[in-house]
Amino acid sequence: MTAHETDYHVHTFRCGHAGGASRDYVLAALDRGLSEIAFTDHIPIYFLEGDDPDPDCAMTRAELPEYVDEVLGLREEFRGRIDVLLGLEADYAEGHEDGLREILALHEWDVVLGSVHWVRGAWIDGPGAARRHESEGSVTLWTEYYRLLGKAAGSGLFDVMTHVDLPKKFGNLMPPSCRDAEASALAAIVASGAAVEVSSAGLRKPVGEEYPAPRVLRDLVSQGVPIVLSSDAHAPLEVAWGRDRVHAAARRAGAAEHLSFRRRERRRHTL
Ligand SMILES: [Zn+2]
Ligand SMILES: [Zn+2]
């Protein structure tokens, strides 16, 4: 095992809510001393009707090959200086697993992140999400979120489960009565063998806490779940953002290693 600095969750302008040139993300990663950067842009929205159901959330299907070509081009350009990896942040949408499988089969991904953003017919992390906690109820949203997260992990389609307590984004913390739903989802992650990300993104959001919360991360790590380190950057400035805090959170949770991936095969590194 070798010490190794990575960022395993980075977006591009194609998703409609990130900015900057992709090349600048790589330059930022180099500047911050990373050995690897994994581009993991949002998968085209395969579970809603139409070619471009939500331009502010994801690239179109037509843009997917361009995304892949750009990342592979950057890999060549920077070879020997930093490893540029081809990944995807793939939404889990219940009942649409075949559609997801089809897209995952199109290219040779280094890593596939599994995310639950679509909960009860809308985004759980969109601008209106805080209001949803009032109108639909936090218990309902958190319970359904964790049910879907458990199913996502159990699908076996993902290498890494991302931001596993996402509904807290705007400060709507999990009601204590959702503990059983949470426990089932975490048990499904443990059973699946997938890793979880420790992400600085929550530190930049109203909740002001990394994903996942310290208690949740400790629980997962104590059960042998491996971790990857991420920023969920949506701009070059955010690459490796909060890296020291993410490392510290991982260590406090008891983690001694983190993972990297090549063609979906994992490698272990000391933290
Ligand atoms: Zn995004
Ligand atoms: Zn996400």
Side-chain angles (χ1 to χ4, degrees):
M1 290 194 297
T2 48
H4 209 69
E5 298 283 354
T6 61
D7 190 340
Y8 261 74
H9 193 157
V10 162
H11 292 278
T12 79
F13 64 92
R14 288 181 189 81
C15 70
H17 59 277
S22 305
R23 192 169 183 277
D24 288 341
Y25 286 67
V26 181
L27 291 173
L30 264 177
D31 193 46
R32 282 152 217 172
L34 302 192
S35 321
E36 305 184 15
I37 179 172
F39 281 95
T40 56
D41 212 352
H42 296 283
I43 193 170
I45 303 174
Y46 60 90
F47 51 93
L48 299 178
E49 292 298 319
D51 279 345
D52 195 7
D54 195 338
D56 294 336
C57 282
M59 69 178 102
T60 63
R61 279 176 189 263
E63 285 173 307
L64 187 63
E66 297 165 22
Y67 164 68
V68 170
D69 285 350
E70 183 182 44
V71 173
L72 296 181
L74 290 168
R75 170 183 293 172
E76 288 312 312
E77 180 183 349
F78 286 92
R79 190 179 289 283
R81 299 167 72 194
I82 183 170
D83 291 341
V84 176
L85 305 178
L86 177 64
L88 197 63
E89 179 178 11
D91 279 271
Y92 176 75
E94 190 176 34
H96 297 270
E97 290 83 350
D98 286 344
L100 174 54
R101 256 182 223 105
E102 243 169 67
I103 295 180
L104 295 183
L106 291 174
H107 302 281
E108 295 253 36
W109 309 105
D110 287 308
V111 62
V112 175
L113 309 182
S115 299
V116 173
H117 303 108
W118 189 255
V119 179
R120 289 172 57 87
W123 306 112
I124 195 65
D125 56 338
R131 275 197 310 281
R132 294 186 63 196
H133 282 269
E134 285 167 33
S135 58
E136 295 168 57
S138 266
V139 170
T140 304
L141 288 177
W142 275 96
T143 302
E144 178 65 356
Y145 172 78
Y146 272 133
R147 188 185 71 78
L148 293 170
L149 185 70
K151 283 203 79 171
S155 75
L157 290 166
F158 309 110
D159 302 309
V160 182
M161 303 311 296
T162 64
H163 42 57
V164 300
D165 52 359
L166 181 63
K168 74 181 179 183
K169 177 176 175 180
F170 297 103
N172 305 92
L173 299 182
M174 187 188 77
S177 65
C178 299
R179 281 283 178 106
D180 286 352
E182 178 196 75
S184 302
L186 300 189
I189 293 173
V190 173
S192 75
V196 293
E197 70 167 2
V198 187
S199 164
S200 67
L203 294 165
R204 303 191 296 274
K205 300 294 167 10
V207 69
E209 177 182 82
E210 64 275 4
Y211 298 115
R215 177 182 60 81
V216 173
L217 185 57
R218 216 177 306 123
D219 188 341
L220 290 164
V221 169
S222 73
Q223 296 185 74
V225 175
I227 61 162
V228 303
L229 304 173
S230 85
S231 67
D232 207 342
H234 285 72
L237 266 177
E238 291 175 351
V239 172
W241 191 95
R243 179 171 42 164
D244 292 348
R245 292 174 73 180
V246 164
H247 274 232
R251 284 202 202 89
R252 270 197 308 275
E257 297 175 5
H258 65 117
L259 300 183
S260 67
F261 289 83
R262 292 291 183 286
R263 303 253 168 130
R264 310 195 68 180
E265 296 284 332
R266 47 182 74 185
R267 302 173 179 188
R268 295 157 59 203
H269 308 276
T270 51
L271 197 59

